[in-house]
Amino acid sequence: MSPKLLYAALLLLLCHARSSDGQKKKETLLSEKVTQMMEWASKRAVIRMNGEKFRKLVRAPPRNYSVVIMFTALQPQRQCGVCRQADEEFQILANSWRYSSAFTNRVFFASVDFDEGSDVFQMLNMNSAPTFINFPAKGKPKRADTYELQVRGFAAEQLARWVADRTDVHIRVIRPPNYAGPLMLGFLLAVIGGLAYLRRNNLEFLYNKNVWAFSALCFVLIMTSGQMWNHIRGPPYAHKNPNTGQVSYIHGSSQAQFVAETHIVLLFNAAVTLGMVLLHEAATSDMDIGKRKIMCVAGIGLVVLFFSWLLSIFRAKYHGYPYSFLIS
């Protein structure tokens, strides 16, 4: 064999040895990272991270696991009520995954608090909380890897659907038992039953059309204000801008809403309804003319004012809507 061929063969063997050695180091490092994440996950379903842990276990390769991180601000001085509510739902999701029979090292859940990892917030140019981001096993996070909190809400079920879409890991959300609802229902039924028993010799109120009309009206107002949407999506009560501190009670998009917004709409619809009832009574009652005039003016005022506010909310959510009334 000529010296040139021998040199080339030795060089090839050396490169192969270095490549093999580098691959072994990479596999060893990956194994250490997975072992560390599994150890932390065994203690807490949501791993608490600071800047050092984030850079070492999330940003730095190699990594064959996804990490779903909630960036939050839970310290009392931050006054982030939404962060606490979102954290509760995130904990439910993480525990549902951690204690399920399908648990693997494909996905881990973690959190970065602003006061413990402000450098991470700066690194990602993030200025709001809470924010959920999925860091995939391969490549950098894409736009869809940032959870649309304002649209979907932070209910654990909604987060689970998003995680399944981004990681192909399906999590069955298991909530801890909540006895408040059944207890309240039982208490309400007991009160109704007690009242019915006390008035067992006079149950004419059950045939009172005004009672049933009022009950039906309350149900309609609750449903039309968006309470069922709140129950399904679990949106935040309101939104506080972390930069200005301004609190928004009306969502700026027609695709989402806040809980406070449904309460406002419910009250406005109730006020318009009350105005219509007063107008009807003013036109049909047998009261003296003076009282009927007062009822008529009050009814017109309620309808005009609160319908104008309802229309202004509609304009704020549906940008470009051309109509307004009194309030632009």
Side-chain angles (χ1 to χ4, degrees), residues 30-63:
L30 178 59
S31 177
E32 290 176 353
K33 293 172 71 172
V34 172
T35 302
Q36 181 67 82
M37 294 291 285
M38 289 292 288
E39 180 182 348
W40 286 337
S42 66
K43 298 177 182 178
R44 299 185 60 166
V46 177
I47 302 170
R48 294 181 63 176
M49 287 191 171
N50 54 23
E52 181 183 355
K53 292 179 180 178
F54 177 80
R55 285 186 289 270
K56 178 182 177 182
L57 299 167
V58 179
R59 289 295 288 256
R63 180 163 53 85

Side-chain angles (χ1 to χ4, degrees), residues 269-328:
N269 280 331
V272 172
T273 303
L274 177 60
M276 297 299 294
V277 171
L278 289 176
L279 287 173
H280 177 267
E281 289 297 315
T284 59
S285 69
D286 296 329
M287 292 186 294
D288 61 83
I289 190 67
K291 291 182 178 180
R292 291 169 63 183
K293 285 182 178 180
I294 294 174
M295 292 175 63
C296 181
V297 172
I300 292 174
L302 286 172
V303 171
V304 169
L305 180 62
F306 286 96
F307 181 76
S308 300
W309 276 337
L310 279 172
L311 201 58
S312 68
I313 293 175
F314 189 84
R315 281 170 54 85
K317 296 180 70 66
Y318 292 83
H319 303 285
Y321 186 75
Y323 303 109
S324 63
F325 184 63
L326 295 183
I327 301 173
S328 59

Side-chain angles (χ1 to χ4, degrees), residues 206-272:
L206 292 177
Y207 303 96
N208 190 319
K209 62 180 182 180
N210 291 330
V211 172
W212 289 106
F214 180 76
S215 302
L217 181 60
C218 290
F219 179 79
V220 170
L221 289 174
I222 290 172
M223 291 296 105
T224 56
S225 66
Q227 297 298 327
M228 186 57 68
W229 194 95
N230 291 343
H231 180 73
I232 295 172
R233 295 294 186 91
Y237 186 81
H239 175 68
K240 183 177 181 180
N241 190 310
N243 297 323
T244 63
Q246 183 179 1
V247 179
S248 299
Y249 298 102
I250 306 296
H251 198 286
S253 170
S254 61
Q255 303 299 316
Q257 66 184 20
F258 297 132
V259 174
E261 181 180 330
T262 63
H263 295 165
I264 293 171
V265 170
L266 188 151
L267 291 175
F268 285 6
N269 280 331
V272 172

